Amino acid sequence: MSSTNSDHSLAASQQFEVVNAPNVHEPEITEPAPEEHPTESHELANADHEEKGAAQINHGHTEVRDLGWNDHPSDVPAPLVGGLSNEELWTLIRRFNKQMYHVKALPEPPLGGLDLNIADEEEFSPDKLRANIERLFLTVGVGMVGFWKHIARLRSWRERNRTLAFAVVYFGTWAIDYLVPTIIAFLVVLIVYPPARACCFPPAPIALIDSKTGGIKQPTAGVLGSDNSLTGAPEKHQGEAVEQEASNFVNGFTSIAISSATGKHPEVDTQATEGRSNGLENSIPDPTNFAMGAADAKDKAAGGEPNVVHDKSKEPMSAAMWSKTRLVMHATGDISDGWERFGNALSATAPFPKEKPRIKLAAVLAPVLLISLFTNSYMFMKMNGLFIGFGFFANPIIWRVASYLNRMFPQWQKLLEIRNTLLKGVPTNAQLTVTLLRIGEANKAPLPPPPYSGPPPPNVTHETAGQDLEHLKDVTDTELENAVHPDAAVTTGTDVVPKKKQHGHRILAAIRGVAKGGVETALGTDRLKAAVGGEHAKNRLGVLKSGGIDRAGPVDFPCRFKGKKGHAYITTTATTPVLSWTTEKEDADPVFSIAIADIQVGLIIGSEG
């Protein structure tokens, strides 16, 4: 069953784990949580919050309250959740919808207290890998670029007072051999006292800072339409510009990989097609060709014989690469999870506690600070040499200890994971989002989905562009004005020097047309196949939408079941919440009904599912 809109009602009564495998073994829990609140997420969602939004107010009715599921964003009550703007909330939900592909209910509470963790035996999926890489770009990629631009600002001496203060403290503590304790103490201050972060590292739009000079520059998008994106591209809703950058990053990386396999360069190919583009456009290659086949064709054209008989390395290398794809996908997800957990520990979002995670992080650094006060550089180097030597030469001892622990405590490695120790109870963005969704469900006021973007935003600066940048003292108002406001040559596509006519876009447009036409033809035959009983064809009906977006939610969702149009209903007035499906809105006799508590698996089916 496929639905045109996302629904989050299942999150209220279930604890989930992100999976792509049928069997996942979790450590046994000696003290199971209560049935009504199986996880910390459920407890926080049902708690009485100090700061409340529209979704946290009990409206006193048994019917579900519509908070504007089909209304314009400006007509939606604000804030929906206390302590979080609607734009920030919709950013979390939008990214949550892109990240979730396959979840299943857990038979017992998770070890760390929060559900929606990545399963150990997660199977590889190209869509999942793409989502993980985009998420890695949004978290680690953008964060590291922002960090490096802060370093560039400090090194440039353009903010003279700030750089001078850092330099004096650094060289002063270095001279008296207290550099390491000072750095650790500085980290503790940044952790426990958030205002110190903005004081020591005043924010500035990432796209506005030159990573080489540390000064300001014209954003690469030609306009400062967003503060948190790398290009400064305009956006209609918060976070959309950097999300589009992440998508384009994956597309660009894929294009480079395919170009490397085929031995072609986009710019060279474009120049070579001038004057004879019609011939190439008339012989457009099949867009479904694989990179491996293209590489073989390249080798054969060069006089080689790329076949299994002569190339004994092809199959083993291909098998080795595909066998590691799951590990790579899992690693990217774990890195993003860790980054998000540290971010949410340093800057927690309600209803999660704000002080406790910061105190735990500072408490870990406290003994390190104490030891550094009584450790000189000689002792530090001697200890490092000892640890390196032990790790290199003590492999038999390490192996025997690990074997003993695996035999006596099979899950000791999972118990020592940072999410179950130092960052226990600190959510990832997905776990934060599902908790916020459960808040709405607990109060019978489901959170509305993110608004539809529609046409692209205009090439104009956002409302607060260039404001609160007084700390950039060496930048004149004229320089800031020229950098912030649109560059006509970039935003309108007109350059001072006329560009050569290029025909590459015609080839791409033709390939898109061929692909779209092929998909429409293939899916068009599904109606005939479904009429004669084809189950897969029935499931694919309705994949291509011809009309506008249907009104949906918060309890009624237009969708298909076995190829038939109908509506899914979520009924919460009964003793047990129920999901039902019927062909007509007024039909009181549903085709099927299932208790939400009995739903064990949630799966997003792709267009060819």
Side-chain angles (χ1 to χ4, degrees), residues 15-71:
Q15 51 183 342
F16 289 106
E17 181 178 33
V18 182
V19 299
N20 274 318
N23 296 315
V24 178
H25 301 287
E26 289 289 334
E28 294 184 359
I29 307 300
T30 56
E31 297 181 2
E35 184 70 21
E36 61 274 13
H37 301 315
T39 68
E40 293 181 13
S41 173
H42 290 82
E43 292 181 2
L44 291 171
N46 288 272
D48 186 15
H49 309 115
E50 295 182 1
E51 188 175 0
K52 296 184 179 181
Q56 295 166 289
I57 300 175
N58 190 347
H59 53 86
H61 299 286
T62 57
E63 296 291 337
V64 170
R65 180 186 178 188
D66 188 353
L67 293 179
W69 276 61
N70 299 283
D71 295 342

Side-chain angles (χ1 to χ4, degrees), residues 131-214:
N132 279 355
I133 296 177
E134 290 185 3
R135 183 168 163 240
L136 188 69
F137 178 92
L138 291 170
T139 54
V140 181
V142 175
M144 292 304 296
V145 171
F147 172 76
W148 174 250
K149 291 195 174 185
H150 267 294
I151 299 299
R153 288 169 56 189
L154 276 174
R155 295 182 63 197
S156 68
W157 284 87
R158 293 175 181 270
E159 302 169 52
R160 186 174 293 103
N161 293 338
R162 186 162 70 103
T163 304
L164 182 61
F166 272 90
V168 168
V169 173
Y170 181 92
F171 287 108
T173 55
W174 169 81
I176 61 176
D177 290 333
Y178 273 90
L179 179 59
V180 174
T182 302
I183 293 176
I184 297 175
F186 180 60
L187 292 177
V188 172
V189 172
L190 293 179
I191 290 173
V192 299
Y193 188 61
R197 305 170 197 170
C199 179
C200 298
F201 302 99
I206 298 177
L208 200 61
I209 303 299
D210 192 326
S211 60
K212 295 181 180 179
T213 65

Side-chain angles (χ1 to χ4, degrees), residues 4 22 29 51 57 228 230 286 360-361 380-381 400 463 481 553 575 603:
T4 58
I29 307 300
E51 188 175 0
I57 300 175
N228 297 322
L230 302 185
D286 185 358
K360 289 175 64 176
L361 290 176
F380 179 76
M381 294 302 297
R400 285 180 172 83
E463 296 179 355
E481 187 78 8
T575 304
L603 179 64

Side-chain angles (χ1 to χ4, degrees), residues 212-554:
K212 295 181 180 179
T213 65
I216 65 171
K217 66 169 186 176
Q218 177 78 48
T220 53
V223 57
L224 187 60
S226 55
D227 286 341
N228 297 322
S229 62
L230 302 185
T231 62
E235 59 186 9
K236 279 193 171 181
H237 302 286
Q238 180 177 321
E240 288 183 337
V242 70
E243 291 167 13
Q244 191 61 41
E245 289 175 351
S247 178
N248 292 330
F249 170 79
V250 178
N251 292 339
F253 185 83
T254 305
S255 176
I256 292 173
I258 295 177
S259 298
S260 300
T262 57
K264 295 183 178 181
H265 192 285
E267 295 183 2
V268 175
D269 292 342
T270 301
Q271 295 173 2
T273 58
E274 293 213 15
R276 50 187 179 88
S277 60
N278 291 335
L280 284 179
E281 291 179 8
N282 292 331
S283 58
I284 297 170
D286 185 358
T288 61
N289 287 339
F290 296 97
M292 292 288 288
D296 287 347
K298 172 193 171 186
D299 294 340
K300 190 172 183 179
E305 292 292 336
N307 54 57
V308 178
V309 176
H310 291 81
D311 189 359
K312 296 295 184 180
S313 66
K314 179 178 179 179
E315 292 299 330
M317 287 303 299
S318 178
M321 292 295 294
W322 281 104
S323 66
K324 302 301 181 182
T325 52
R326 183 178 65 85
L327 298 178
V328 173
M329 183 180 66
H330 203 162
T332 56
D334 286 340
I335 294 173
S336 300
D337 282 351
W339 188 278
E340 291 176 354
R341 284 191 175 97
F342 273 106
N344 289 327
L346 295 173
S347 302
T349 301
F352 286 89
K354 297 183 179 181
E355 301 295 337
K356 182 179 178 181
R358 295 203 294 262
I359 294 175
K360 289 175 64 176
L361 290 176
V364 172
L365 292 178
V368 180
L369 174 61
L370 184 63
I371 293 173
S372 66
L373 292 173
F374 303 98
T375 304
N376 55 33
S377 58
Y378 174 77
M379 296 173 60
F380 179 76
M381 294 302 297
K382 290 289 287 185
M383 287 189 296
N384 282 344
L386 175 63
F387 293 147
I388 293 174
F390 184 82
F392 190 86
F393 294 106
N395 185 61
I397 298 176
I398 296 174
W399 182 81
R400 285 180 172 83
V401 172
S403 299
Y404 173 79
L405 292 175
N406 290 334
R407 185 173 62 257
M408 300 301 298
F409 309 98
Q411 302 295 336
W412 68 275
Q413 293 176 328
K414 186 170 288 294
L415 293 172
L416 295 179
E417 289 181 356
I418 194 170
R419 67 179 182 182
N420 298 323
T421 52
L422 178 61
L423 297 181
K424 184 176 181 180
V426 178
T428 64
N429 287 349
Q431 292 169 334
L432 169 62
T433 305
V434 78
T435 302
L436 297 176
L437 295 172
R438 284 168 175 159
I439 289 176
E441 298 294 336
N443 294 284
K444 293 186 180 296
L447 301 179
Y452 176 65
S453 293
N459 287 319
V460 296
T461 58
H462 64 86
E463 296 179 355
T464 60
Q467 298 181 11
D468 299 327
L469 297 178
E470 292 80 7
H471 48 274
L472 301 177
K473 298 183 182 300
D474 288 351
V475 179
T476 64
D477 294 339
T478 303
E479 291 176 335
L480 186 60
E481 187 78 8
N482 294 335
V484 167
H485 284 81
D487 183 356
V490 177
T491 58
T492 63
T494 59
D495 294 327
V496 178
V497 180
K499 297 175 64 178
K500 293 182 179 180
K501 186 176 181 181
Q502 297 182 355
H503 302 279
H505 66 283
R506 297 183 183 178
I507 298 178
L508 295 177
I511 291 177
R512 294 192 190 100
V514 171
K516 181 180 179 181
V519 172
E520 289 177 344
T521 301
L523 295 179
T525 60
D526 285 338
R527 297 185 181 277
L528 298 177
K529 295 179 182 179
V532 297
E535 292 296 328
H536 293 289
K538 291 180 180 180
N539 292 334
R540 287 194 296 267
L541 287 181
V543 168
L544 294 181
K545 300 296 180 183
S546 57
I549 300 177
D550 297 328
R551 293 178 62 88

